[in-house]
Amino acid sequence: MTAPPRTTEESASSLRDYRTPETLPRPGGRLTKEDLDPLVKDAGEGNPAAIHSLLQMIEPVVVRYCRARMGGRDLSYLSADDVAQEVCLAVLKALPDYQDRGGSFLYLVHAIAANKVADAYRAVARDRSEPVPELPERPLVAGNEPESHALHLDLGARLGRLLASLPRVQQEILTLRIAVGFSATETAEALGISPGNVRVTQHRALTRLRGMIHDDEF
């Protein structure tokens, strides 16, 4: 269900409270299959403590992922934090029916998050309302003059365009490894590939980015 339009006060509050992905806490503890499975099993059986613990583990991951994929922008009335909340709710809703078929629970979390982010962009594409100016990623503070802030926004937009030119799997690996802070093993489990494949693909993605940056005189 699409979130209702937010008021000006809510949008302002969201901006004040916004923290860029790099300032968010990294996931506490490992999120590999062997560490998650017992907790997921208990949560799926309705154990309130397990559900709370699982949510505490995945929420920072989901927020970091959504903010990295959406660039900290408000897509019309839908922000990255709105999407992250929808992801967490969808994950909790899927818990009772989740069956371990040998994969990692992270695969489900990532699949839901990727779909919700894609849904957000599709919703904005269908939105015929008049676009509003993009909000800055963080409030202006001392030492962050308008000129400097504009340069940072332009840099972020250019980096976003470069990332968007990469194959989807390379984008996902860089997001999970760099923005979310996953290990190669955690990233592999989230994407359903091998850790070796993650490392090779990440190296190729970074090499390609360096080449594009050089060619673009970044």
PDB file of all heavy atoms in Angstrom, residues 74-88:
ATOM      1  N   ASP A  74      13.747  12.394  -1.626  1.00  0.00           N
ATOM      2  CA  ASP A  74      12.323  12.139  -1.527  1.00  0.00           C
ATOM      3  C   ASP A  74      11.815  11.958  -2.954  1.00  0.00           C
ATOM      4  O   ASP A  74      11.900  12.877  -3.753  1.00  0.00           O
ATOM      5  CB  ASP A  74      11.587  13.313  -0.879  1.00  0.00           C
ATOM      6  CG  ASP A  74      11.598  13.224   0.637  1.00  0.00           C
ATOM      7  OD1 ASP A  74      11.856  12.134   1.152  1.00  0.00           O
ATOM      8  OD2 ASP A  74      11.348  14.250   1.270  1.00  0.00           O
ATOM      9  N   LEU A  75      11.304  10.771  -3.281  1.00  0.00           N
ATOM     10  CA  LEU A  75      10.717  10.566  -4.593  1.00  0.00           C
ATOM     11  C   LEU A  75       9.256  10.978  -4.498  1.00  0.00           C
ATOM     12  O   LEU A  75       8.386  10.195  -4.153  1.00  0.00           O
ATOM     13  CB  LEU A  75      10.840   9.094  -5.014  1.00  0.00           C
ATOM     14  CG  LEU A  75      12.269   8.562  -5.152  1.00  0.00           C
ATOM     15  CD1 LEU A  75      12.258   7.127  -5.625  1.00  0.00           C
ATOM     16  CD2 LEU A  75      13.069   9.430  -6.106  1.00  0.00           C
ATOM     17  N   SER A  76       8.992  12.252  -4.828  1.00  0.00           N
ATOM     18  CA  SER A  76       7.655  12.815  -4.658  1.00  0.00           C
ATOM     19  C   SER A  76       7.281  12.728  -3.188  1.00  0.00           C
ATOM     20  O   SER A  76       7.881  13.375  -2.362  1.00  0.00           O
ATOM     21  CB  SER A  76       6.654  12.082  -5.554  1.00  0.00           C
ATOM     22  OG  SER A  76       5.372  12.644  -5.441  1.00  0.00           O
ATOM     23  N   TYR A  77       6.286  11.900  -2.839  1.00  0.00           N
ATOM     24  CA  TYR A  77       5.836  11.794  -1.457  1.00  0.00           C
ATOM     25  C   TYR A  77       6.458  10.604  -0.742  1.00  0.00           C
ATOM     26  O   TYR A  77       6.132  10.319   0.401  1.00  0.00           O
ATOM     27  CB  TYR A  77       4.309  11.648  -1.424  1.00  0.00           C
ATOM     28  CG  TYR A  77       3.806  10.570  -2.341  1.00  0.00           C
ATOM     29  CD1 TYR A  77       3.861   9.231  -1.970  1.00  0.00           C
ATOM     30  CD2 TYR A  77       3.317  10.891  -3.597  1.00  0.00           C
ATOM     31  CE1 TYR A  77       3.432   8.241  -2.829  1.00  0.00           C
ATOM     32  CE2 TYR A  77       2.882   9.901  -4.451  1.00  0.00           C
ATOM     33  CZ  TYR A  77       2.926   8.586  -4.068  1.00  0.00           C
ATOM     34  OH  TYR A  77       2.512   7.608  -4.927  1.00  0.00           O
ATOM     35  N   LEU A  78       7.343   9.873  -1.412  1.00  0.00           N
ATOM     36  CA  LEU A  78       7.869   8.638  -0.851  1.00  0.00           C
ATOM     37  C   LEU A  78       9.375   8.773  -0.635  1.00  0.00           C
ATOM     38  O   LEU A  78      10.123   8.981  -1.584  1.00  0.00           O
ATOM     39  CB  LEU A  78       7.572   7.475  -1.798  1.00  0.00           C
ATOM     40  CG  LEU A  78       7.534   6.071  -1.211  1.00  0.00           C
ATOM     41  CD1 LEU A  78       6.466   5.972  -0.129  1.00  0.00           C
ATOM     42  CD2 LEU A  78       7.245   5.050  -2.305  1.00  0.00           C
ATOM     43  N   SER A  79       9.820   8.674   0.608  1.00  0.00           N
ATOM     44  CA  SER A  79      11.240   8.801   0.908  1.00  0.00           C
ATOM     45  C   SER A  79      11.864   7.427   1.099  1.00  0.00           C
ATOM     46  O   SER A  79      11.173   6.412   1.207  1.00  0.00           O
ATOM     47  CB  SER A  79      11.436   9.631   2.185  1.00  0.00           C
ATOM     48  OG  SER A  79      11.080   8.866   3.325  1.00  0.00           O
ATOM     49  N   ALA A  80      13.191   7.405   1.150  1.00  0.00           N
ATOM     50  CA  ALA A  80      13.899   6.145   1.374  1.00  0.00           C
ATOM     51  C   ALA A  80      13.510   5.526   2.704  1.00  0.00           C
ATOM     52  O   ALA A  80      13.402   4.298   2.831  1.00  0.00           O
ATOM     53  CB  ALA A  80      15.412   6.392   1.310  1.00  0.00           C
ATOM     54  N   ASP A  81      13.274   6.361   3.708  1.00  0.00           N
ATOM     55  CA  ASP A  81      12.879   5.836   5.016  1.00  0.00           C
ATOM     56  C   ASP A  81      11.480   5.228   4.973  1.00  0.00           C
ATOM     57  O   ASP A  81      11.198   4.246   5.662  1.00  0.00           O
ATOM     58  CB  ASP A  81      12.942   6.938   6.072  1.00  0.00           C
ATOM     59  CG  ASP A  81      14.373   7.255   6.478  1.00  0.00           C
ATOM     60  OD1 ASP A  81      15.299   6.686   5.871  1.00  0.00           O
ATOM     61  OD2 ASP A  81      14.569   8.077   7.384  1.00  0.00           O
ATOM     62  N   ASP A  82      10.588   5.832   4.172  1.00  0.00           N
ATOM     63  CA  ASP A  82       9.256   5.246   3.994  1.00  0.00           C
ATOM     64  C   ASP A  82       9.375   3.852   3.384  1.00  0.00           C
ATOM     65  O   ASP A  82       8.719   2.904   3.807  1.00  0.00           O
ATOM     66  CB  ASP A  82       8.397   6.116   3.067  1.00  0.00           C
ATOM     67  CG  ASP A  82       8.059   7.467   3.661  1.00  0.00           C
ATOM     68  OD1 ASP A  82       7.925   7.547   4.901  1.00  0.00           O
ATOM     69  OD2 ASP A  82       7.934   8.435   2.896  1.00  0.00           O
ATOM     70  N   VAL A  83      10.218   3.754   2.363  1.00  0.00           N
ATOM     71  CA  VAL A  83      10.404   2.475   1.680  1.00  0.00           C
ATOM     72  C   VAL A  83      11.021   1.451   2.626  1.00  0.00           C
ATOM     73  O   VAL A  83      10.604   0.286   2.660  1.00  0.00           O
ATOM     74  CB  VAL A  83      11.281   2.651   0.421  1.00  0.00           C
ATOM     75  CG1 VAL A  83      11.561   1.302  -0.233  1.00  0.00           C
ATOM     76  CG2 VAL A  83      10.600   3.591  -0.566  1.00  0.00           C
ATOM     77  N   ALA A  84      12.009   1.873   3.414  1.00  0.00           N
ATOM     78  CA  ALA A  84      12.640   0.958   4.368  1.00  0.00           C
ATOM     79  C   ALA A  84      11.625   0.423   5.372  1.00  0.00           C
ATOM     80  O   ALA A  84      11.652  -0.765   5.732  1.00  0.00           O
ATOM     81  CB  ALA A  84      13.780   1.671   5.100  1.00  0.00           C
ATOM     82  N   GLN A  85      10.722   1.287   5.811  1.00  0.00           N
ATOM     83  CA  GLN A  85       9.686   0.847   6.741  1.00  0.00           C
ATOM     84  C   GLN A  85       8.783  -0.193   6.094  1.00  0.00           C
ATOM     85  O   GLN A  85       8.413  -1.199   6.712  1.00  0.00           O
ATOM     86  CB  GLN A  85       8.856   2.050   7.209  1.00  0.00           C
ATOM     87  CG  GLN A  85       7.819   1.695   8.272  1.00  0.00           C
ATOM     88  CD  GLN A  85       7.052   2.905   8.756  1.00  0.00           C
ATOM     89  OE1 GLN A  85       6.777   3.817   7.981  1.00  0.00           O
ATOM     90  NE2 GLN A  85       6.710   2.928  10.023  1.00  0.00           N
ATOM     91  N   GLU A  86       8.428   0.037   4.818  1.00  0.00           N
ATOM     92  CA  GLU A  86       7.597  -0.919   4.103  1.00  0.00           C
ATOM     93  C   GLU A  86       8.319  -2.257   3.949  1.00  0.00           C
ATOM     94  O   GLU A  86       7.700  -3.322   4.023  1.00  0.00           O
ATOM     95  CB  GLU A  86       7.218  -0.371   2.730  1.00  0.00           C
ATOM     96  CG  GLU A  86       6.227   0.772   2.766  1.00  0.00           C
ATOM     97  CD  GLU A  86       5.731   1.149   1.387  1.00  0.00           C
ATOM     98  OE1 GLU A  86       6.061   0.424   0.421  1.00  0.00           O
ATOM     99  OE2 GLU A  86       5.025   2.159   1.262  1.00  0.00           O
ATOM    100  N   VAL A  87       9.626  -2.206   3.710  1.00  0.00           N
ATOM    101  CA  VAL A  87      10.412  -3.435   3.573  1.00  0.00           C
ATOM    102  C   VAL A  87      10.371  -4.237   4.873  1.00  0.00           C
ATOM    103  O   VAL A  87      10.127  -5.449   4.865  1.00  0.00           O
ATOM    104  CB  VAL A  87      11.873  -3.117   3.186  1.00  0.00           C
ATOM    105  CG1 VAL A  87      12.730  -4.389   3.228  1.00  0.00           C
ATOM    106  CG2 VAL A  87      11.932  -2.500   1.793  1.00  0.00           C
ATOM    107  N   CYS A  88      10.631  -3.566   5.987  1.00  0.00           N
ATOM    108  CA  CYS A  88      10.640  -4.260   7.277  1.00  0.00           C
ATOM    109  C   CYS A  88       9.279  -4.885   7.582  1.00  0.00           C
ATOM    110  O   CYS A  88       9.197  -6.019   8.073  1.00  0.00           O
ATOM    111  CB  CYS A  88      11.042  -3.290   8.392  1.00  0.00           C
ATOM    112  SG  CYS A  88      12.786  -2.788   8.343  1.00  0.00           S
TER     113      CYS A  88
END
